[in-house]
Amino acid sequence: LRKLLVFETPHRLGSVASYLESDSKFNGSINGVYHVQFSPGVDGDFSFPEVHFAGVLSPSASPRPNSASSPGPLVLLQGSWAFSFTDNSSISPVPHADTQLLLNVTIALPEQSRLQNKSDYQVLLSGYQLEMRCLETPQHPCNSNGIWAYHFNLSLARGCLESIDRKEIICSLSFSLGRGWTPSHGGGKPYNYQMAYNATVFYTVLLYQTSYAAKYEKRIFQKSTIFEPPSTGKVALSNTSSVDQSVLCGMKEFSWTLLETEGHRDRGRYLEELQFFVEAATNSSGGGVAAPLEPVGLLACAWMMGYQAPKTTTYPSDLELSTVVTSLVLGKEIKVSLPLQQNGTVCEDSPPLFYCSNHGLPQQLSDTVKVTAEL
């Protein structure tokens, strides 16, 4: 879906958001808004988060999400689920907090978009927002509203079911978050023993007629370290030439886990870069992970997964990364744009050493950026 965060210096993970929403009718292009938020926890810095996206236009259907037009070969619905939770850390030589949630969530289907015979659906992740704050007590002061995270998982891979009356889709949403201290105990910074969170998960539903599309799904798992570049690859989807068909690629899950490494039981680390995205590509030789569709070649989804930290300030850690790549191979009646990308800007002052204005940037922890796909 997107490369989320890019920093010059390492940071804890604070409140974060990255999601995309469509917002206008078709007038030769499809428009949307990219929402991004990031708080580095304590120290100021800047970042240019990046979203990867594509536009799609189906005949006899309005491209505006959730609109009341007659359904066509492909219909798009968008929405979100929200939930809140708090964590409590273990009191031990290795303090840590682990949260695991499994939620039943629903998607209401407008009457004109309800599933009929010879129709199917895909539910994809289209972004998330996680706001967090430390809960201070006299015994346990807070160091910031950020965390040293060692695990994150957001997944729809357990699947979804259509209700008997076909009025809604019911999905299993799994979310897990693990956090701890660093091997150096944060360089003397106290550990946050309890945190409160507000989470929002954004989804996109693709309702389609099976005669116009075929779906594919594959889990990708990679082992790496936090000092290695992102892992990349392609998932081949069809033996049909991209001249005759096009492809939509998305995610049902993304996950990263830092492992106990070199005897360091404290698994928390600082973060410099985090990347998870998929986009349409071809399976022909040559070209990068995000190479645009070529005149001929096998249809594919290109993927990238990565978590990086700077060697000079961070203890080493082994790393596990995973995602579930989901796609629709579409008939030529449905138009899909080339893969596109857009950047937002976030920046926070940290007087007296760092000021956003010295870099020509506004001080803002969130940004909204217009995105456009020409068709």
Side-chain angles (χ1 to χ4, degrees), residues 68-263:
S69 65
S70 59
L74 181 68
V75 175
L76 171 73
L77 302 175
Q78 291 184 327
S80 62
W81 305 297
F83 55 96
S84 300
F85 62 97
T86 60
D87 65 14
N88 289 281
S89 298
S90 63
I91 308 297
S92 73
V94 185
H96 64 280
D98 291 300
T99 299
Q100 296 185 7
L101 303 175
L102 182 60
L103 307 172
N104 287 327
V105 292
T106 60
I107 302 166
L109 297 177
E111 184 175 356
Q112 71 279 0
S113 299
R114 291 175 188 168
L115 296 168
Q116 306 296 326
N117 293 332
K118 298 183 179 180
S119 64
D120 205 346
Y121 62 92
Q122 284 277 32
V123 184
L124 305 174
L125 297 172
S126 57
Y128 70 103
Q129 182 173 33
L130 183 63
E131 297 178 334
M132 63 184 74
R133 62 184 178 90
C134 180
L135 301 178
E136 192 168 51
T137 67
Q139 296 79 19
H140 299 297
C142 294
N143 73 62
S144 70
N145 287 316
I147 61 176
W148 291 287
Y150 57 73
H151 171 72
F152 184 94
N153 175 273
L154 182 61
S155 177
L156 287 168
R158 289 175 177 261
C160 301
L161 294 172
E162 177 191 358
S163 63
I164 295 176
D165 59 11
R166 294 190 167 184
K167 292 183 179 180
E168 61 184 11
I169 295 172
I170 305 167
C171 299
S172 292
L173 173 68
S174 59
F175 172 88
S176 56
L177 176 68
R179 64 180 184 90
W181 225 347
T182 68
S184 65
H185 290 181
K189 300 179 182 70
Y191 175 79
N192 293 340
Y193 272 83
Q194 187 175 43
M195 298 287 293
Y197 305 85
N198 294 317
T200 305
V201 178
F202 297 85
Y203 64 81
T204 296
V205 184
L206 302 173
L207 302 164
Y208 60 92
Q209 297 177 19
T210 54
S211 58
Y212 286 87
K215 65 180 178 181
Y216 296 80
E217 188 170 300
K218 185 174 182 179
R219 178 178 294 276
I220 308 295
F221 177 82
Q222 294 285 307
K223 291 187 175 184
S224 185
T225 76
I226 61 173
F227 299 146
E228 294 183 41
S231 300
T232 63
K234 293 181 181 180
V235 178
L237 306 173
S238 172
N239 291 323
T240 305
S241 167
S242 56
V243 170
D244 303 317
Q245 294 180 309
S246 56
V247 61
L248 287 175
C249 301
M251 286 184 184
K252 281 192 173 179
E253 173 184 301
F254 69 97
S255 175
W256 51 268
T257 303
L258 308 183
L259 306 176
E260 184 177 322
T261 305
E262 296 184 0

Side-chain angles (χ1 to χ4, degrees), residues 6-41:
V6 180
F7 292 98
E8 290 186 329
T9 56
H11 291 286
R12 276 156 281 182
L13 181 65
S15 294
V16 61
S18 183
Y19 59 96
L20 185 65
E21 293 182 316
S22 298
D23 71 342
S24 65
K25 296 181 179 180
F26 180 71
N27 58 358
S29 65
I30 295 178
N31 301 311
V33 177
Y34 174 44
H35 301 264
V36 62
Q37 175 188 3
F38 186 77
S39 172

